[in-house]
Amino acid sequence: MDTAAISKAMQSVAVLTVETEGGQKLQGLAFIALGENRAVTAARLIRNANKVTLRFQDGVEVDALGLVAVDEKRGVALIDIPSSGRGVLNLTQASITPGMVINSGAVKDNTYGFVQLAVAEVHQGASGIERCMLSGEAPSGNSGAPALDSKGNVVGIVIEAQDGRVFVPSAFIAALNASLPTRSWGAQKQTVEATGGVGTVVQTTGSSPMDDIDLMLLSFFTTFYDHYAVYVWIINIIDYYSHFESKEVPQLVYDYQAKLERELKRIAGIRTDDSLRKEILQTALEAGANQFNAVNYLMQAMVIAQQTKAWGAQSDDLRKRAIASFKMAWEVLTPKTSALMQLYKESMIFRKNAPRDLVYMMGLEKRPSVFKIGATTMVTDPFYLLVLNNKSMGEALGLRAGDRIISTAGQKFDKNSSIEDFKVIIQNNLGKTIKVVVQRYGEETTLEMEIPKEIPKEYLYEK
């Protein structure tokens, strides 16, 4: 066990103090993950919260700004906190089996540390491991503690329940949508985050009765377009390797299947009399289900290829089904562009909170650039080139699949930037050589990028 690494990780753990609307005071833990201004904690602690304060090991206190996302089924919540310069804990996935030892964050008498607990029981659901029960001695009042592996990485969260301590694997933390807009404490009832069984009626108390529905739709489309990027990536892997019987289904694919499935369940529970939103909800459900099936077919194809040690007729048939299902998803969605544009114009919530790259991908606003870079990127991670097409503009400029663009011509990109910003800089420097910093194979590399005097016609968008 790397005690130094675990002790360093504890610097990003805070004691969480909650004042509820009813005047109660609750205490637990939270830890920084999914971004420097995001913290993970136990959902029950922040339910009906009026004020939430975090106190770190060095004595610094910050007030949490509000709720970002919550998975009530598994009891995990994501909250918005001011950036404090502390490290963001790394999420990693581990094989959870009875007897596995985890290092649970703990605070007692203002002393920050960790205790070792063991997995006692493993509960499996239809989509894999969901919860585990823990055994071992630990001080109470530490619900929301990170479960750390021997290197200080987060493998899950520890939640105190009536029947003991529950361990929720990190996959369900990763499934929380960190890009959702923040809901201020006490501003409105937090019913919008119900996981959405069929028949759920969305209750709203905000400024508009449609705001909560629009937030759910925004969350769905963000996940849907990221899921689309994963589909393109996995098809690319299959086509590139051809006979790849040793190639496993990447964990990212399982993660985004779980995310899209969750979003589909949530919006399936919405009931509304608004004709526009009803139309878009129906479209989203149909398109989402088809795209989910497409990736599912690809996963089956890869597993069968592994089992049979060859890419045979059955795997090829599943690949063809995946492509057909994917095409159907977009045949459903594309004709509804006008309805989506109407929603974008009407909904201040959608317009204010939609990530820029999502807006461009959905065709809700015109892209500021005039050319295609040939890369597949995610809405939530637009500067990571998940796929880069052969003979594309990006490849011609010296970029490679797997690169993460850090800065271009001295301009550093942040969470509010878009891949369009990078392309506009290229357009503004035609015929010049500029420096582009990328992260490649885990290290920062500076490229001397030679920009052509004009963009080749084959890379321009169609007018």
Side-chain angles (χ1 to χ4, degrees):
M1 182 177 66
D2 190 339
T3 53
I6 295 174
S7 295
K8 182 178 179 181
M10 286 300 298
Q11 296 173 15
S12 298
V13 177
V15 172
L16 187 88
T17 302
V18 180
E19 296 179 15
T20 69
E21 293 179 355
Q24 289 181 300
K25 281 198 174 184
L26 304 174
Q27 196 166 84
L29 297 185
F31 56 95
I32 300 174
L34 301 180
E36 61 181 12
N37 62 339
R38 296 288 184 261
V40 180
T41 189
R44 72 170 185 83
L45 293 173
I46 50 86
R47 197 173 293 127
N48 299 319
N50 197 45
K51 183 179 180 182
V52 177
T53 303
L54 287 80
R55 186 183 75 252
F56 292 93
Q57 190 174 12
D58 57 7
V60 173
E61 290 191 2
V62 297
D63 289 334
L65 305 177
L67 175 68
V68 177
V70 62
D71 182 345
E72 289 286 3
K73 182 178 179 182
R74 298 174 183 92
V76 184
L78 189 66
I79 61 176
D80 188 350
I81 64 171
S83 299
S84 58
R86 289 172 172 77
V88 178
L89 296 186
N90 180 51
L91 299 180
T92 189
Q93 297 192 35
S95 178
I96 313 299
T97 57
M100 171 188 176
V101 175
I102 57 102
N103 302 285
S104 176
V107 177
K108 183 178 181 181
D109 298 331
N110 208 32
T111 299
Y112 290 64
F114 56 88
V115 294
Q116 291 191 329
L117 301 173
V119 175
E121 296 178 51
V122 177
H123 298 277
Q124 291 186 329
S127 59
I129 297 172
E130 292 198 358
R131 298 201 323 169
C132 314
M133 300 303 296
L134 296 170
S135 62
E137 296 296 325
S140 60
N142 288 300
S143 191
L148 306 173
D149 65 9
S150 61
K151 296 180 180 179
N153 298 311
V154 176
V155 292
I157 183 173
V158 178
I159 298 173
E160 295 178 358
Q162 290 182 346
D163 54 347
R165 289 183 176 83
V166 175
F167 169 79
V168 180
S170 59
F172 298 108
I173 299 173
L176 295 171
N177 190 345
S179 65
L180 288 174
T182 301
R183 294 177 164 274
S184 301
W185 306 120
Q188 54 186 344
K189 295 179 182 178
Q190 296 170 6
T191 55
V192 66
E193 288 293 336
T195 51
V198 175
T200 301
V201 178
V202 176
Q203 304 290 337
T204 61
T205 56
S207 59
S208 167
M210 295 295 108
D211 283 358
D212 289 340
I213 294 177
D214 294 350
L215 280 170
M216 285 202 204
L217 283 170
L218 179 56
S219 177
F220 167 81
F221 281 112
T222 299
T223 299
F224 177 82
Y225 275 82
D226 278 355
H227 187 271
Y228 155 77
V230 170
Y231 168 85
V232 174
W233 179 55
I234 198 69
I235 275 283
N236 187 266
I237 289 174
I238 291 173
D239 290 347
Y240 179 80
Y241 285 96
S242 282
H243 301 288
F244 61 95
E245 43 277 5
S246 64
K247 195 73 179 174
E248 295 183 355
V249 179
Q251 183 61 47
L252 182 69
V253 181
Y254 289 103
D255 292 344
Y256 269 90
Q257 280 292 83
K259 285 185 178 183
L260 183 58
E261 184 177 29
R262 180 190 174 201
E263 293 293 341
L264 286 168
K265 287 180 179 178
R266 290 180 67 203
I267 64 173
I270 299 175
R271 297 292 179 267
T272 178
D273 293 327
D274 182 84
S275 58
L276 175 62
R277 287 161 179 82
K278 186 183 291 186
E279 178 185 4
I280 294 174
L281 283 165
Q282 184 177 351
T283 299
L285 284 168
E286 191 174 350
N290 275 289
Q291 191 165 277
F292 179 89
N293 290 338
V295 172
N296 202 41
Y297 285 136
L298 293 179
M299 293 166 69
Q300 292 177 48
M302 294 181 75
V303 170
I304 289 171
Q306 285 182 304
Q307 292 172 342
T308 60
K309 305 299 181 184
W311 185 268
Q314 192 174 3
S315 290
D316 200 47
D317 176 68
L318 286 165
R319 179 185 176 279
K320 290 176 181 177
R321 291 189 185 194
I323 293 172
S325 189
F326 175 76
K327 286 181 178 178
M328 191 173 295
W330 289 86
E331 285 173 2
V332 169
L333 185 61
T334 303
K336 300 298 180 180
T337 300
S338 58
L340 289 166
M341 290 187 74
Q342 185 180 344
L343 176 66
Y344 184 65
K345 290 177 181 178
E346 287 184 7
S347 172
M348 178 65 74
I349 286 289
F350 208 99
R351 195 164 58 253
K352 181 180 178 182
N353 297 295
R356 289 175 59 200
D357 283 272
L358 178 64
V359 171
Y360 300 134
M361 288 180 186
M362 294 180 73
L364 303 177
E365 288 186 12
K366 185 179 179 181
R367 293 177 182 270
S369 67
V370 300
F371 70 96
K372 296 173 284 188
I373 194 175
T376 299
T377 60
M378 289 184 167
V379 171
T380 53
D381 197 0
F383 291 96
Y384 180 74
L385 309 184
L386 194 62
V387 175
L388 188 64
N389 298 335
N390 291 332
K391 299 180 180 179
S392 63
M393 179 69 173
E395 187 178 70
L397 290 171
L399 296 171
R400 298 291 178 264
D403 283 352
R404 183 184 300 280
I405 302 171
I406 306 297
S407 65
T408 302
Q411 179 176 325
K412 192 169 183 179
F413 302 115
D414 57 27
K415 64 180 181 179
N416 296 316
S417 301
S418 162
I419 192 67
E420 292 295 309
D421 298 329
F422 166 74
K423 292 159 69 179
V424 168
I425 293 173
I426 299 298
Q427 288 175 197
N428 292 337
N429 287 275
L430 295 178
K432 299 179 182 179
T433 298
I434 61 174
K435 291 184 178 181
V436 177
V437 179
V438 301
Q439 189 178 59
R440 182 177 290 177
Y441 306 124
E443 296 181 357
E444 286 196 3
T445 300
T446 301
L447 307 177
E448 296 286 339
M449 190 170 285
E450 296 181 6
I451 314 300
K453 292 183 179 179
E454 61 180 61
I455 306 295
K457 292 182 180 179
E458 61 266 31
Y459 303 135
L460 296 174
Y461 287 115
E462 295 181 6
K463 292 184 179 180

